[in-house]
Every structure is written in C-alpha cells, then in structure tokens.
C-alpha cells in the first residue's frame, strides 16, 4: 500500500474518477466525473451498496480491498459500467480508490455523455479510446480500398478479356518484338495466316519468317525507324508460311521504349495482302492495255494498283499514287457520294456502280471522269478490294450539255409558237365572226329586195363557206395548241367501243353527199374497254373524214374492229388517192399537206392530233399508203 | 497534411459538383494520386493546389472553398469516420472549442507526422468567447470559420464568427464566436 498526500484540487484534476472512502468503505467524497456515471452515488453510503467489488470474478472482502494486492474491479449494480480500481491509503482511516473506466463493449462514453473534460488530461482510457477509434477507421479504410482494388482488378480482367477478344478476332496480325527481334507477342491471326502455332513462334526471330530474298530489303526499310529518322515504317514485304506459301504482308511498325526512354522492341501489324496482290497482278495485264484507267484499292480506299494510263488522265504516275488514298484526289463536296457508292457496293455485293465525279490533276486542275466500280471478294465471300475503271467524259458531257441546251431552246421556241398561234387565232376569230354576221345581214336584206342580182347570193354562199372553213381552221389550231401545251388531259372510262364507233360512223354516213357509207366489220368477241371516249371519238372522226374526203368517187371506206388476245385494233381503209411514198414520214408534222391534195381542203393538223391522242391512250398507229391506190391506217390499243 | 484531409476535399467536390468536376480540378491541380490514403502524410502543396484549382474551376474565392471545406469536415468527414472521437470533444459548442487542443493532442499521439494547430479559448460572456488559433500554415483561417460554423450546426447552436486578425499571414488568428 502506498501512502500519499494530495491536495483536493490536484486530486480532481488527476483522478476525475475516484472515491474517498473510510475503513468500512463508507463513501466520504467522489471525483467530479463519477456523478456522470450515476447520480445515485452520494457520500455517506457504502461503496458496496452501489458496486460489486471483485478481482478475477471473485468478490473481495474489505481486508482484501485494503490489502497490498489492491487492484480490483468495481461493477455498478444498475447501469453495469465497470471501473478498474486501485486503493491508495491516505491516512489510517481514509483511503483513496483511484478508478479508470474500463474500455470494452460495456463502456459507452456516449451513454454517459463523457467528454474529454471528464477525463484527466493524460488519462490512459482516453488514449485507448482514440487508438481504438483510429484503428477501426484505418481498418475500414483499408477494407474499402481493398474492395475498390478488387473491383478494379475485376474491371481490369474484363478489359483484358475484351482486349484479347478484339486482338484475336482481327484479321491482321498484331505483333510485338523485343530489342533483339524476337517475337514476344502475336495474336491468333498469326496462326491463321502463317500456319505456325503461337507456342513455336513466340521467342523466335521475326526475320526467320521472311522470304529469303526480302531479308536484306527488310533491314534497309527498318533502318530509318531504328535510327529514329521516322516515327513509323510502312512497307510491303514477303513472308513464308509453314506450308511454304508466300504471303505478301503490308507492314506497319513503331518502336517501343522502356521507362528510361531506351528502345526495347517494336510493335505493329502485318496485313495479309497476298490476295490483293494476286488480284492486282491479274488485272494489271488487262489494265495496261486499255485506255481506261483501272485502279485497285484496299478496303480502306488506298491505291494498291493503278494502270499506267493514269498519267494521261491526271498527270500523276501510277507509282506516285500507290499507297495514297483515293479521297486525296476527290473534291471534298463529292466525298459523300463516294461513301454512298462504297456502301451501295458492299450492300449489293456484285453489281457495278457508276459515279460521275471530279478528280484533281497533278497541276491542281479538276477534270470530270466517269468511274464504274465493284468489289472483289475472296473465296470466303469476304470483300478484299475495290476495282474501278475510269474514263474522261468531258467531251461527252459537253455534247450532252449541247443537246440539253438545244432541247431547251426548242422547247422555248415551241412555247413561243404556241403562244403566237393562240394569240393570232383568237384575234382572227373576232373579225371572222363580224364578216359572217355582216354577210348574213346583207343576204337577209338582199332577199327582201327584188332588185338584187341572183349572183350575189352565190357570192354570199362562197364568203360564208370560206369563213366557215377559216373558222374551222382556227378552231383546229386552237385545239392543237391546247394539245401541244399539255392542256388536254386523259379521262379514261370503261366503255363499249363498238357502240361509240357505230355512232361516229352513223354521223359520217349521214352527211355524205354521194351517199357512200362506211363498211364496218367486227372480228372477235367485243369486250368493254378502258379508254378516253372523247379521244377515241376524235381519232375515228378524223380518220373517217379523211377516208371519205380523199376517196371521192371510189368505193366505200372500210372500218374493221378486231378484238385479239393481247390488244384490240381499229383499221380504216380507203381506195383513194393515197400518199406519195416519200411523204408518208411527214404525215404527222403540223400543217403538212401531201403534194397530191392541193385541190382538197385541209389544214394539216388532223393526223397530228390523231397520233397524239393515240399515244395518250397507249396505242400504236401504223400507216400503209400507196399513191393512187389508197390508204390503210391501223391503230392497236392494249386492254 | 494527412490523406484524410485530401480525401475530404475530394468528397466535398464529388458530392456537390460531380465526379467530372473533381477530375477537372484534380487535373488542373496536377494531382497524380489515384486515391489518397487517409493515414498517409502528403505534402501540403497538394492540398493548397487542390483548393486553388477548385476555386478556379468553381469560380469561387479560395476563402469560400476553405470555409465550405471546414463546415463539410465537421458535418461529414469527421462525423462519418471518427464520430466517437468527435463525441469525446464535448457536448456543446464552447466545451468542444475548449477541448480542441486536447483533441489534437490525442490525435497527434496516433498520427506521428501530424502538425496540429493550437487553440486557446478565452470566455468573454456567457454566450461569447475569443478563440485564438495558432498555426504554421498560411491562409487557412477561413477554414476555421467553416469549422466553427459546422460545430454550431452540430450542436444546434447557431453562431456568428467574426475574424478579428488583420492579416492572413499572421501565425495567430483571433475569432470572436458568439451564439
């Protein structure tokens, strides 16, 4: 037992958890923080009234508490908080029991609202509490970091798997070598193309797979890269596969460096272009002998082969174009059509596609060419190349433009003519109406006057007849003007054409002064027909009129109607004066009149309108005529 | 500064402005660390660079960033990670401020590289005190304002903090705290 003397002030500061007790464990006073643990504890009561006093689980007697072996535990009866305790003899009858709250699961500083102010400044309990808290937090952080690490590792593994999948699914060989030229990595494509397994290849020298004739050249091609004169090297070189097949490879390689910046190897790709080269050679002979420029491109659009004739087309030599991209020579505005063409070719697989476009010449000018392209496929139907054939079309374009311009001019003239005819015709109709009315008034007055010579009446008839003829001509011109300007549309109906044709014939039969009649015959079974009835009436009316007019004094004109399997046909035949053979071709020109009809009235528009209407109804018109023998006009319409 | 401070700056930015903003700030500050380790000491320059970059990217004054950080530190980081330690600080605002030195002393025994500030409290009235903050670090006084305001929220004691020092370059800074 230690005997010490303490001032009350120091006692509170150094031991905020303490009890001052008498020899029978009566509480004389308590530390300032004891009241936070239990406000029931008060001086005058026995310590054993509030606490179980034990050591190693055994209850201690008063003598044991005050003995030399005086470390023990106070366990509060109600709240069960526990205090480590040690007894210090102050005097013969006064003992100081110094306590420290036990830091374990039963201790909860929050439960008792204990703060740093409640403990001594250097209290071991507080130190342990801080240590426990910081340790727990550090462990939590470590766990959290570990979990993140696990997640990152999983992501890394997935990325690695995806990377391997991509690397092994590409058709090109992806490689890495060390600084001595030994393969350190090859993807699956190496096995597919070179037929060597990865196991036997990794660790072997890359140049042992080169074609013996290309080893020296390969060294020369790699030299600028090794000397760091170039950032990469790209060239074509031959490799030899396990089976002895020669493989032409397009090489792309760059250097790799260690952390110190020293070269530690190379990496890059080998693209098998054997098939492309074979294709190129196959077409080379042909291409060298044609005036068109033949080009072969890889699937990205780089030239693999260009025929020598390109020099005459754009000034660049074939060698200058090799390896360059086709878009380098195209107008940027036309890139889109080029890409569309490429997509269309890949879509349609076999069809030739034709594109008119501009191409840049060596001296920076632009020329128009026509390029027809298609895709070359390998034996597995995989696209390997584009092949194109190009030619200059500047002359043709000029000719086309000239034709287009001429057609436009003709159209303009035609429009002008239509307007003129329409204007003149309308201007003629008014005076003709006045003349006709004037003559009728004069004739009427003459009839009322007995003094007028009868020859006047004959002259009146002539004037009226001529005005009528002129009026008819104007009407036809106006009608033709409408037809020509597209103002007459087609209105097809399902009709009984036999009835319609019979009506037309009846009208014509009725007005014939010589009493002739149309001989009408029907062959086949009549059916209902889809046609514009106004057009059909006009067609037949014209043909009937002509047949009567140009066969005066001859036999009856004939009208044959035939309903065949694929079409139906009308044929009008007369035995009249016919048309001179050389003039038949002009029959459908506006205002044309044959040389043998000068004495017969006509205006040269009837047949033009007939042909136009026949075509508007999808019909086909045929003329057979012989001068002084007669004319046969056949029209076939589809059902 | 220990990594826990830098982690708290990161959390403050991510929670309030999103991860992309944090990445932008981190890049601007030239921070190479993928992740800060809480119990590892880092150069103070990193923290200063992050605060500077945050101010630039968020278009705030550096003092505003520091004040926000002080408040965030009390209400989120310290509370979430070291709640029990914080509880030990005191049950009300003036008690906590009085215990600040002891708190840092205790933490310092566990973090050997800790360069803690010191705090002295002088009671002025029953609802105001003078806090003297002494540190070797320059320019962090606005953070203390945020810390005190955060404590005011923690103890549900709305308070006013008045910074009384003239220069941010002084080692000792005086704050009048009233509630």
């Amino acid at each position: 037992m230690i005997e010490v003397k303490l001032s009350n002030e120091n006692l509170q500061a150094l031991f905020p958890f303490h009890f001052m007790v008498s020899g029978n464990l009566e509480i004389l006073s308590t530390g300032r923080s004891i009241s936070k643990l239990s406000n029931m504890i008060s001086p005058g009561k026995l310590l054993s009234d509030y606490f179980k006093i034990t050591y190693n689980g055994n209850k201690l007697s008063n003598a044991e508490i005050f003995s030399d072996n005086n470390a023990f535990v106070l366990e509060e009866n109600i709240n069960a908080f526990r205090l480590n305790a040690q007894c210090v003899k102050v005097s013969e009858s006064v003992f100081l029991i110094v306590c420290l709250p036990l830091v374990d699961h039963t201790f909860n500083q929050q439960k008792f609202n204990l703060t740093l102010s409640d403990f001594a400044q250097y209290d071991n309990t507080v130190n342990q509490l801080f240590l426990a808290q910081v340790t727990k937090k550090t462990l939590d952080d470590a766990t959290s970091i570990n979990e993140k690490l696990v997640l990152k590792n999983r992501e890394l593994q997935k990325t690695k798997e995806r990377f391997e999948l991509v690397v092994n699914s590409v058709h090109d060989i992806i490689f890495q070598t060390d600084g001595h030229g030994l393969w350190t990595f090859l993807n699956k494509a190496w096995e597919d193309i070179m037929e060597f397994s990865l196991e036997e290849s990794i660790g072997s020298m890359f140049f042992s797979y080169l074609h013996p004739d290309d080893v020296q050249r390969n060294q020369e091609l790699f030299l600028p890269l090794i000397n760091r004169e170039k950032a990469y090297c790209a060239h074509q070189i031959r490799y030899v596969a396990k089976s002895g097949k020669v493989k032409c490879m397009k090489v792309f390689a760059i250097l790799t460096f260690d952390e110190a910046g020293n070269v530690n190897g190379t990496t890059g790709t080998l693209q098998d272009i054997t098939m492309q080269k074979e294709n190129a050679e196959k077409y080379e002979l042909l291409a060298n002998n044609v005036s068109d420029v033949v080009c072969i491109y890889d699937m990205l659009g780089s030239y693999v082969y260009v025929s020598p004739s390109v020099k005459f087309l754009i000034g660049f030599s074939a060698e200058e174009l090799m390896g360059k991209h086709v878009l380098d020579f195209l107008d940027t505005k036309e890139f889109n059509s080029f890409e569309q063409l490429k997509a269309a070719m890949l879509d349609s697989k076999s069809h030739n596609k034709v594109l008119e476009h501009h191409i840049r010449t060596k001296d920076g000018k632009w020329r128009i060419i026509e390029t027809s392209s298609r895709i070359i496929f390998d034996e597995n139907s995989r696209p390997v190349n584009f092949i194109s054939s190009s030619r200059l079309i500047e002359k043709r374009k000029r000719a086309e433009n000239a034709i287009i311009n001429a057609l436009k001019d003709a159209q303009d003239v035609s429009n002008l003519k239509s307007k003129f005819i329409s204007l003149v015709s309308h201007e003629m109709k008014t005076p003709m109406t006045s003349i006709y009315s004037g003559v009728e008034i004069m004739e009427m007055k003459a009839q009322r006057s007995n003094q007028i010579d009868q020859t006047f009446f004959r002259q009146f008839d002539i004037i009226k007849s001529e005005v009528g003829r002129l009026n008819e001509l104007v009407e036809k011109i106006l009608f033709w003007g409408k037809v020509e300007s597209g103002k007459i549309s087609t209105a097809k109906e399902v009709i009984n054409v036999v009835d319609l044709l019979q009506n037309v014939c009846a009208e014509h039969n009725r007005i014939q002064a010589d009493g002739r009649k149309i001989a009408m015959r029907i062959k086949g079974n009549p059916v209902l027909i889809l046609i514009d009835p106004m057009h059909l009436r006009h067609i037949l009316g014209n043909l009937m009129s002509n047949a009567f007019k140009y066969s005066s004094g001859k036999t009856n004109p004939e009208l044959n109607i035939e309903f065949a399997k694929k079409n139906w046909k009308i044929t009008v035949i007369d035995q009249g004066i016919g048309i001179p053979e050389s003039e038949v071709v002009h029959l459908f020109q506006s205002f044309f009149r044959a040389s043998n009809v000068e004495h017969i009235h006509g205006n040269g528009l009837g047949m033009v309108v007939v042909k136009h209407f026949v075509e508007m109804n999808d019909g086909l018109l045929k003329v057979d005529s012989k001068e002084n023998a007669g004319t046969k006009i056949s029209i076939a319409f589809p059902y | 500064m220990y990594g826990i401070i830098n982690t708290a700056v990161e959390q403050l930015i991510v929670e309030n402005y999103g991860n992309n903003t944090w990445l932008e700030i981190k890049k601007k500050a030239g921070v190479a660390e993928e992740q800060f380790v809480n119990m590892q000491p880092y150069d103070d320059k990193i923290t200063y660079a992050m605060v500077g970059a945050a101010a630039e990217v968020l278009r705030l004054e550096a003092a505003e960033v520091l004040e926000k950080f002080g408040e965030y530190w009390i209400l989120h980081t310290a509370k979430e990670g070291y709640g029990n330690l914080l509880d030990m600080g005191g049950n009300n605002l003036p008690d906590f401020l009085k215990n600040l030195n002891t708190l840092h002393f205790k933490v310092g025994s566990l973090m050997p590289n800790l360069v803690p500030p010191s705090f002295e409290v002088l009671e002025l009235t029953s609802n105001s005190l003078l806090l003297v903050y002494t540190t070797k670090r320059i320019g962090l006084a606005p953070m203390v304002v945020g810390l005190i305001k955060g404590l005011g929220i923690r103890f549900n004691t709305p308070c006013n903090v008045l910074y009384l020092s003239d220069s941010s370059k002084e080692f000792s800074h005086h704050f009048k705290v009233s509630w």
Side-chain angles (χ1 to χ4, degrees), chain A residues 508-522:
Chain A
H508 282 270
N509 288 342
R510 196 171 60 242
I511 60 170
Q512 298 311 316
D514 57 6
R516 287 189 299 160
K517 288 188 174 18
I518 295 197
M520 183 170 160
R521 291 186 193 87
I522 298 170

Side-chain angles (χ1 to χ4, degrees), chain A residues 343-550:
Chain A
M345 279 194 290
L346 284 167
D347 198 36
S348 66
K349 293 220 162 178
S350 60
H351 297 115
N352 265 334
K353 297 286 172 189
V354 180
L355 182 70
E356 283 182 14
H357 61 94
H358 290 82
I359 190 156
R360 186 168 54 82
T361 62
K362 194 170 184 177
D363 55 8
K365 290 177 182 166
W366 293 95
R367 305 194 78 170
I368 304 175
I369 62 170
E370 179 187 76
T371 300
S372 57
S373 318
R374 68 182 176 85
I375 294 175
I376 304 170
F377 296 90
D378 66 8
E379 67 274 14
N380 297 318
S381 300
R382 283 189 308 201
V384 288
N385 290 116
F386 292 104
I387 181 165
S388 73
S389 155
S390 305
R391 62 208 64 88
L392 277 177
I393 54 166
E394 283 163 344
K395 278 185 188 170
R396 196 181 82 192
K397 288 301 281 184
R398 277 199 292 272
E400 279 176 11
N401 286 339
I403 290 168
I404 289 167
N405 288 336
L407 278 172
K408 193 173 172 298
D409 290 348
Q411 186 69 41
D412 290 346
V413 169
S414 174
N415 287 343
L416 199 64
K417 184 187 78 184
S418 297
K419 279 182 189 168
F420 177 73
I421 288 171
S422 173
L423 183 73
V424 170
S425 304
H426 278 109
E427 288 302 312
M428 282 173 76
K429 278 191 81 173
T430 311
M432 280 194 302
T433 309
S434 301
I435 293 168
Y436 196 89
S437 307
V439 171
E440 275 189 333
I441 292 166
M442 285 168 70
E443 193 178 26
M444 199 169 66
K445 284 197 172 181
Q447 278 171 349
R448 288 178 189 167
S449 167
N450 293 328
Q451 295 172 356
I452 299 297
D453 191 328
Q454 284 300 311
T455 53
F456 279 6
F457 290 103
R458 181 169 158 68
Q459 292 306 317
F460 288 147
D461 286 342
I462 292 169
I463 292 169
K464 275 166 41 180
S465 167
E466 288 303 309
V467 169
R469 202 166 61 80
L470 259 175
N471 204 39
E472 188 190 345
L473 175 64
V474 169
E475 288 289 348
K476 281 209 167 174
I477 290 171
L478 275 175
F479 185 70
W480 173 235
K482 279 185 188 173
V483 171
E484 217 179 14
S485 60
K487 285 179 183 165
I488 303 282
S489 57
T490 310
K492 288 186 181 179
E493 294 172 26
V494 176
I495 56 165
N496 183 335
V497 290
V498 175
D499 281 355
L500 186 143
L501 296 176
Q502 278 174 338
N503 287 339
V504 176
C505 288
E507 284 168 19
H508 282 270
N509 288 342
R510 196 171 60 242
I511 60 170
Q512 298 311 316
D514 57 6
R516 287 189 299 160
K517 288 188 174 18
I518 295 197
M520 183 170 160
R521 291 186 193 87
I522 298 170
K523 194 176 171 187
N525 294 322
V527 290
L528 295 176
I529 300 294
L530 180 69
I531 198 164
D532 186 321
M534 190 280 277
H535 291 177
L536 185 61
R537 188 179 289 277
H538 195 99
I539 291 165
L540 196 73
N542 255 285
L543 296 182
M544 289 285 100
S545 173
N546 287 345
F548 277 116
K549 195 158 64 177
Y550 298 115

Side-chain angles (χ1 to χ4, degrees), chain A residues 2-46:
Chain A
I2 307 157
E3 289 192 30
V4 290
K5 285 190 178 176
L6 290 167
S7 69
N8 197 37
E9 195 181 322
N10 284 342
L11 199 63
Q12 289 294 348
L14 289 170
F15 307 113
F17 298 94
H18 78 261
F19 296 95
M20 200 69 84
V21 295
S22 65
N24 64 349
L25 285 179
E26 182 190 340
I27 299 169
L28 301 173
S29 65
T30 62
R32 60 181 160 83
S33 297
I34 291 292
S35 60
K36 278 217 169 175
L37 301 175
S38 170
N39 54 14
M40 309 258 303
I41 301 167
S42 57
K45 300 277 185 179
L46 293 178

Side-chain angles (χ1 to χ4, degrees), chain B residues 17-28:
Chain B
Y17 303 99
N19 196 47
N20 287 342
T21 309
W22 164 244
L23 294 176
E24 189 185 345
I25 290 169
K26 196 173 156 185
K27 190 177 172 188
K28 199 173 267 294

Side-chain angles (χ1 to χ4, degrees), chain A residues 1-7 11 14-15 20 86-92 94-98:
Chain A
M1 183 167 301
I2 307 157
E3 289 192 30
V4 290
K5 285 190 178 176
L6 290 167
S7 69
L11 199 63
L14 289 170
F15 307 113
M20 200 69 84
Q86 189 174 13
C87 189
V88 178
K89 184 180 180 182
V90 179
S91 65
E92 282 305 317
V94 178
F95 298 88
L96 171 69
I97 298 176
V98 180

Side-chain angles (χ1 to χ4, degrees), chain B residues 123-145:
Chain B
E123 285 187 42
L124 299 173
T125 64
S126 60
N127 59 357
S128 67
L129 56 80
L130 182 74
L131 181 74
V132 184
Y133 155 65
T134 307
T135 181
K136 290 177 183 173
R137 295 192 172 96
I138 295 170
L140 298 184
M143 189 171 97
V144 177
V145 176

